Amino acid sequence: MIVRTRRDTRFFLLAGIATSALGCAVPAAAQDAVTAGQSPEADGQTARDGADDVILVTGSIRGSLINATEAKRRAINVVDVATADSVGRFPDVTTADALARLPGVAVQLDQGQARYIQVRGAPNRWTSVSIDGLPQTGVDEGGSERAYRFDAVPAVLLQQLVVNKSLTPDITAEAITALVDLQTFSPLDDARPGFGAAGDLGYGFMSLGDGEQRQASLRVSWTDDTIGIALGGSHYRRDQVTDNREADYDAAGAPIDIDIRNYELQRENNGLFGAFEVRASEDLRLFARGFYTEFTDRELRNAYEIELADAGAVGTRGALTGSLDNVSITTNFNDGRYANENIILATGFDYANPDGLTVSGQFGYTRTENTTDLPLVQSSIGGISVDYDRSADPRFPVVDLFRTVPAQTGFARGERLDAIPIDEQDALRTILIPIVQGVVSDAYSGRLDLAKEWDRFTFSAGLYATAREIEGNNIGIGGIVPLATIGFDPNAYATTRPWETQFPVGVGIDYVDNVALNADLQAGLAAAGIDPADFVLPSSLYAQEERIYAGYVMGRYEDGPLLVNAGVRLEQYEIDNAGTVLAGGGAVPLETAQDFLDIFPSVNLRYEASDNLVLRLGGQRGVSRPAYAAIRVGASISDTGATIAGGNPFLTPEYTWGLDASAEYYFSTNGIASVGVFNRWVEDVLYQSQQVVGSDLYDSGGIDRSGYLLGSSFNGESGSLYGVEFNIQTQFDFLPGALSGFGVQGNLTLLGGDFEAVDAATGQLATFQFQGLSDTVFNASLFYEYAGLSARVAYQRRSDFLDTLGGFGAGEFRDGFENLDITLRYALNANFTLFADLANLTDETYVAFQGTPATPSEVERIGERYLFGIRFNF
């Protein structure tokens, strides 16, 4: 094993000098929430519910706590809120990190970085997203998920994050467990007229691999009584090493292969934001907003797959130990790039007169582009003997390698190898596997809302429409390129630079020069006239047009402590679907169309039982629509095997009825203690399986394929998801002197649920687990703020969950994981604050397994993260 890190020296050095300069915005102002009730604004400014209610803001943890709890209290529906200041007081790089601090919210990670969120243990597709009230849809991973990709949105661009856990008719029904509204900065709501600037600059390092970590952001604004202008930008980058081990197993639990991987990553988030607002009169405000975000991930892959189950291998292969001769090692190298870009533009108006009439309108354009380019170079090293031992810890198999030499009877062992001989690859068998994927979504959306208030009753109505075009492909490999034909030799890129790893290996491994390898590869392909994009499987391509037309009516009645809000939303959903079917050696274009007209009623009751106690009850109907790649018509047909692999254009949406109830106790000075319960009864649950086609859609050339087996996504039967949420957050300001700076925030969510579907193996109904369901999600933090010092220790934990739903409902499970973070802030004066963010201090190991933890399929670690810097606010 080789461990190379200087983290102790650098930690104390950087902690001692915590740098200065320019940067980001912990924004100090806010905007109106788009929940059914008016949520108070983010920390640092005045917020309103109606014309006269004012929330005290102090610009501290306590002020942030007051804002968030007051927003929750005044909301019509069940919500949780994170303000901009609370985001800034955690080491949260992405919006997913920030949302994970809220009750019932867990994250899905990609190489240690939060990407998706799962609310209340549900599949991530059951949580929808809007930005300033306009719905957004994700197209990540070739459109295989509608889930919104939160690692593409820097947290510092936002003002407030509102998680709507129960729905009202004025927000989209496409949210089974939650709608997350990401709210941007409104300059006219800034409590400080004139010029303002806020920013930060930070620098640090990653403990594994010793790579740098840096961030910077800046927001400037100017406002008077009539005009407000704001411009902002952010940058975050980290150079990361990911330790990775993977394996596959046979039915007896013995490894088929041992995959030793190491990734050198450069991940970067950038964002730009702008807002222009005009108060045209006392009643009318006009606005235009826009922001651009990009996430890029450059991945240098080094992977060695020891093929234990090679046909020519001889020896013993047991579950924990084995000794084999004449195995091969498959090598995989690439200089890959992933990218996600978002352009979001919106313009509109807000009108409110003294007679209780309000009208608002908004029109927006969103472009989302997701691309993957992985030129994977694969070769092999032959004539290897291997001993492996998994008995100490099945997550970390230790291998010893030897040369295999011919013997009179079979094989014998030659010299022991100190390192994998990466300069002995078979150049004649080296191939390129071109993995090229891309999806582009262009959407135009608009909404018009009006409301009229009469004493205790308020009537609301509105219209919404969106038109979206989606073009792209999921990952489908239509061929390989033998690289010997262009004279490419992978052995030329071997180096003597040892791996940065904390995992036991048993044998030394050096890096290859991935950058030079890919540069020469691309030059060779260009000279030979070979375009990797030509190897995209035609059946993976799709082109779709999606249209949603919606209208709602809603009434709100208030009588003393009681508020009742009820209404109905009508949605017409249409999708045109085009793709290509590969059958009989030819490509056949195919088109289908679907439309659904649905009614979504909802009701929310809020009862203020006392000055401190608020009771809530909510009921709703919601929907989750299939992902674009899942519903594509593209497919590959095998007439000899009578099978079809591809999308499933027959999928229908998942529908749900939901119930929420909660009791919220608000402390007299600040904070809240609450308990909530919920249930979602879901119909037509989506899962992966293999079923008879049952239609003539794929018939061509006189061949009846209605009885073929289609491997794809399908609608199952019904299921239910349920749980209870406990939440407490308060500062102990009743204590004397310096002790009043202590406070706590914590939440615990206990979850359960399953669904029924046909088991393809038996043809009978069976019970399956929901993807992403952890039965326990826990967050806790202890904070202290007094006399300029702000400190917080935050802990997160989620239990095991199913990550991918396999063909028979069994798939890859993720072991539970935890994270411990520490944030430190010290205010030098009213304008400058030093900070230190120490993240992943548990140095967590992330594990996936097949069936049981005894057969881990993936093991990853990225190490701790340290970031130091300075913030300013004028």
Side-chain angles (χ1 to χ4, degrees), residues 52-76:
D52 302 319
D53 299 316
V54 177
I55 301 169
L56 174 66
V57 173
T58 66
S60 62
I61 290 181
R62 186 178 188 275
S64 176
L65 183 62
I66 291 173
N67 278 358
T69 55
E70 191 66 14
K72 183 178 178 71
R73 177 169 186 158
R74 293 185 181 277
I76 290 172

Side-chain angles (χ1 to χ4, degrees), residues 32 276-278 280 283-289 346-352 357-363 447-450:
D32 294 337
F276 177 73
E277 299 178 341
V278 177
D283 301 333
L284 179 64
R285 177 164 65 173
L286 310 175
F287 65 85
R289 306 186 187 107
T347 184
F349 70 92
D350 295 305
Y351 173 82
L357 175 66
T358 62
V359 183
S360 63
Q362 188 174 178
F363 176 77
R447 62 179 299 167
L448 179 67
D449 302 88
L450 64 87

Side-chain angles (χ1 to χ4, degrees), residues 379 425-431 482-484 488 490:
S379 189
Q425 300 173 74
D426 188 344
L428 296 178
R429 297 177 59 190
T430 301
I431 60 172
L483 293 183
F488 184 86

Side-chain angles (χ1 to χ4, degrees), residues 196 260 275 655 760:
I260 304 172
Y655 294 98

